[in-house]
Amino acid sequence: MGSQFLLVLLLALCFSFASAHSPEQDFCVAIPEPNDAIFVNGKFCKNPEAVVAEDFFLSGLNIPGNTRNKVGSNETQATVNELPGLNTLDISLVRIDYAPHGLNPPHTHPRATEILVVLEGSLYVGFVTSNPKNRLITKVLVQGDVFVFPVGLIHFQLNVGNTSAVAFAGQSGQNPGVITIANAVFGSNPPISDDVLAKAFQVDKKIVDYLQSQF
Ligand SMILES: *[C@@H]1O[C@H](CO)[C@@H](O)[C@H](O)[C@H]1NC(C)=O
Ligand SMILES: *[C@@H]1O[C@H](CO)[C@@H](O)[C@H](O)[C@H]1NC(C)=O
């Protein structure tokens, strides 16, 4: 497992020089009075004199996430929220576990491209290009295979094997963000009006209400 971790980390490091600076959170509304400000971009910086090795360290990514949930997958993050030393560095890491036939459902990362490597199992992966073509690009990956999900595009991974699968992914953002399509559209808080969703999806409102009741 040691050399596999090294491979993942090397892949992740490739991002650090390639990525442009991006917003580090969903939004950062300007205010006129700096005394009331919470942060500028990303997080506050610790005094460099006070920095210790632990600030750049995280353990436990050898432990599988619990996949006993509706979709059968689990993400263990190593973003700036778990690893403060990542602040301003435009890079992070995630471990993804998949139960047999488990799904990492269609989602986007608004602030990161993702490069994924399969350590165990086989995954059917794909992403959809922007409007108007919405071209679906897919591939079945096995152990050792690497695949890229470009920033912002909807993507997914399905475990097509009869065993558990594990992947790691480097992400070109310290706080990539995740928008799971089904949850965001049908499970928002408060719910999006079924007038809106019935027209958007060109279905009866009853179908929308049913889908909303699943979240
Ligand atoms: C993912 O796994 C962790 C650790 O086992 C667990 O605490 C968490 O609830 C799981 N998340 C989901 C969505 O199942
Ligand atoms: C998965 O299990 C099913 C049912 O037992 C079997 O038909 C199939 O060949 C298995 N697939 C693999 C890849 O082992």
Side-chain angles (χ1 to χ4, degrees):
M1 209 62 179
S3 62
Q4 289 171 324
F5 270 100
L6 262 183
L7 168 69
V8 169
L9 286 178
L10 282 174
L11 285 170
L13 280 172
C14 298
F15 282 125
S16 52
F17 299 105
S19 57
H21 202 69
S22 67
E24 304 293 9
Q25 57 279 313
D26 280 354
F27 40 73
C28 181
V29 178
I31 55 168
E33 177 45 64
N35 288 341
D36 293 333
I38 294 178
F39 47 58
V40 179
N41 201 6
K43 311 229 182 219
F44 285 122
C45 304
K46 192 174 183 178
N47 181 345
E49 303 287 333
V51 160
V52 293
E54 296 297 311
D55 293 328
F56 303 96
F57 174 79
L58 184 69
S59 64
L61 260 69
N62 57 324
I63 300 167
N66 184 349
T67 57
R68 286 171 182 269
N69 50 50
K70 279 186 175 176
V71 290
S73 73
N74 193 317
E75 295 207 338
T76 308
Q77 304 276 354
T79 71
V80 70
N81 300 316
E82 293 78 28
L83 219 176
L86 287 176
N87 195 28
T88 74
L89 297 183
D90 278 337
I91 191 169
S92 61
L93 189 67
V94 60
R95 172 189 174 122
I96 312 163
D97 289 283
Y98 311 83
H101 315 294
L103 173 70
N104 186 7
H107 64 281
T108 82
H109 303 290
R111 295 178 289 277
T113 287
E114 175 172 325
I115 180 167
L116 177 138
V117 57
V118 180
L119 297 194
E120 287 167 28
S122 50
L123 299 175
Y124 168 71
V125 306
F127 66 83
V128 179
T129 68
S130 298
N131 301 353
K133 293 220 165 144
N134 296 140
R135 195 174 149 214
L136 174 65
I137 296 185
T138 65
K139 183 113 182 120
V140 174
L141 308 181
V142 297
Q143 192 172 44
D145 287 353
V146 173
F147 201 79
V148 174
F149 303 104
V151 59
L153 301 186
I154 294 177
H155 59 282
F156 59 84
Q157 300 107 32
L158 176 68
N159 180 0
V160 287
N162 290 338
T163 58
S164 304
V166 186
F168 275 75
Q171 297 183 305
S172 63
Q174 66 181 44
N175 185 23
V178 185
I179 301 168
T180 306
I181 307 307
N183 302 58
V185 173
F186 295 107
S188 69
N189 183 20
I192 299 175
S193 153
D194 55 9
D195 290 325
V196 171
L197 294 182
K199 189 155 278 186
F201 286 83
Q202 296 286 295
V203 294
D204 194 273
K205 278 189 205 175
K206 278 191 196 123
I207 295 174
V208 169
D209 297 342
Y210 174 73
L211 287 168
Q212 286 179 322
S213 74
Q214 303 304 303
F215 293 94

